[in-house]
Amino acid sequence: MAPARTRSLRSVTIRRTLVAGSAPVVGFALVAVAFAAWHARLPDPLATHMTANGRPDGFTSRGAFLPVFAALLLGLGSFFPVIAWVSRANPGGQRGTTATGVGLSGILTFIPIMLLRTHLDADDSSTVRFGMGYLAAGLGVLVVAAGLGWLLAGPPANEVVEAATAPHAKAGHLEARDSEVLVWTRRAVSPVLAVISVAMPVVGVVVGILGDWWPSLVFLGAALLTGAFAAVRVTANTSGLTVAYGPLPRPRTQVPLARISEAGTLDVRALRDFGGWGYRMRPGASGVILRSGEALSLKLATGSTFVVTVRDARTAASVINTLAARRRQPDERDDAGPEPGAAGGTDHRGAR
């Protein structure tokens, strides 16, 4: 059965990679066909950037129009098949990546075709208008194209056999007296998310310089959100496991000791196993994935797994196992019943 399952997962991965990779190629072909068909009716230069009210404020020569959109469509589009391929152990995330790639290719195909259409038979490109209605229609195309990509990506994730991550390695317990206070804490940083959180404001500034400044606020907000997940504080104590994001006390993720069956370690590959970085979810597992490599793995009472990529994960797992064992000890003594010679909670041994 195992080889058949491997082939099934591999075939689904190939299918989704091809769907995600072919979408920008098909999109650019449609733009090229429209450009060739309308070439004689287009002015030179073409308006390629508009203000919020639809008036042109940026222009590109007719000869550079296709290369610019080729770089945009094929450059951005090439990212999604790569992610679809490397995230083959996360079928749910892989399917979402495929749908997102097809949706993005859809809107990046629709916008330049509509832009060319507005220029037909215009003597001067400064007189054309590209209103918000086109953008609204483009969003509709994005949703429809993403839905088509979702269908073309294949069966739902729960019908695909997942490739397992590395085995959960047991960590054991610490040799510590019950009276000792055990606390483990460590800071973890994601290099990828840190770079993204720094790059986004730079992109926002470029967008503001080349066009309007209000879209820059979107990049700034995304940078703040990404930056909050770029650095976390992981703490294991009598409360269980706590993951605090950024410098603020909230938000945070907490897993109480009562929910933890066992703590161990895993070797995680961020893209392959969880499809990216940040707070990630996949069938049967969730976690805070900041990088690839060593990770703390908690097997929960519900049967699922919670993972945090952090260094010195084995020590953290040992602390949690020891604290969880201490928590269970009183319950085990209660289940054992009263000691010999005990009645009603009063020790009568030696009484006459």
Side-chain angles (χ1 to χ4, degrees):
M1 288 296 292
R5 290 180 176 181
T6 301
R7 286 195 297 271
S8 174
L9 181 61
R10 181 178 178 84
S11 64
V12 170
T13 296
I14 292 174
R15 174 179 178 169
R16 293 175 176 179
T17 302
L18 289 175
V19 170
S22 61
V25 176
V26 172
F28 176 68
L30 293 175
V31 175
V33 168
F35 182 82
W38 294 335
H39 184 271
R41 301 171 60 187
L42 299 174
D44 191 8
L46 297 169
T48 52
H49 189 277
M50 309 290 178
T51 62
N53 61 7
R55 295 179 180 276
D57 65 347
F59 302 88
T60 300
S61 68
R62 190 168 55 184
F65 183 87
L66 273 185
V68 167
F69 278 96
L72 185 62
L73 249 172
L74 301 179
L76 289 177
S78 64
F79 176 77
F80 292 94
V82 172
I83 297 300
W85 177 258
V86 299
S87 61
R88 52 191 174 272
N90 182 14
Q94 184 189 60
R95 197 180 193 199
T97 297
T98 304
T100 302
V102 175
L104 182 63
S105 295
I107 190 172
L108 290 180
T109 301
F110 175 81
I111 294 298
I113 290 178
M114 291 298 101
L115 193 61
L116 290 173
R117 183 177 178 274
T118 61
H119 283 83
L120 291 179
D121 301 321
D123 295 327
D124 186 353
S125 57
S126 64
T127 62
V128 304
R129 297 292 180 269
F130 196 81
M132 297 299 292
Y134 287 108
L135 295 179
L139 293 177
V141 170
L142 185 151
V143 172
V144 172
L148 179 62
W150 182 265
L151 295 176
L152 293 175
N158 59 5
E159 295 181 14
V160 178
V161 179
E162 297 177 64
T165 59
H168 172 102
K170 296 184 178 181
H173 298 70
L174 292 178
E175 294 183 3
R177 295 188 297 272
D178 290 350
S179 59
E180 290 186 72
V181 177
L182 296 180
V183 177
W184 178 95
T185 184
R186 194 174 185 107
R187 188 169 179 265
V189 178
S190 171
V192 173
L193 294 182
V195 170
I196 292 174
S197 64
V198 172
M200 279 187 175
V202 176
V203 174
V205 170
V206 173
V207 170
I209 292 174
L210 297 178
D212 294 332
W213 282 100
W214 65 268
S216 302
L217 299 178
V218 177
F219 288 94
L220 180 59
L224 294 175
L225 181 62
T226 305
F229 283 90
V232 302
R233 169 67 65 177
V234 185
T235 303
N237 54 25
T238 53
S239 297
L241 182 77
T242 302
V243 182
Y245 306 96
L248 302 177
R250 293 289 186 276
R252 62 176 53 196
T253 299
Q254 189 161 20
V255 184
L257 283 178
R259 292 182 55 202
I260 301 174
S261 298
E262 182 188 54
T265 61
L266 276 179
D267 183 51
V268 170
R269 292 294 175 265
L271 285 174
R272 183 196 69 188
D273 299 332
F274 286 90
W277 301 268
Y279 190 93
R280 313 296 295 179
M281 299 180 68
R282 52 170 287 179
S286 62
V288 181
I289 309 301
L290 302 178
R291 53 169 178 76
S292 297
E294 182 183 13
L296 172 65
S297 171
L298 304 181
K299 288 187 176 181
L300 306 182
T302 58
S304 62
T305 303
F306 183 80
V307 179
V308 182
T309 52
V310 64
R311 300 189 189 281
D312 195 27
R314 180 169 292 276
T315 301
S318 299
V319 169
I320 291 174
N321 286 335
T322 303
L323 293 173
R326 286 182 184 179
R327 184 184 182 281
R328 289 192 291 266
Q329 283 176 359
D331 295 333
E332 293 171 356
R333 287 197 294 266
D334 292 342
D335 294 339
E339 296 181 1
T346 304
D347 189 355
H348 295 281
R349 286 174 294 179
R352 298 295 183 208

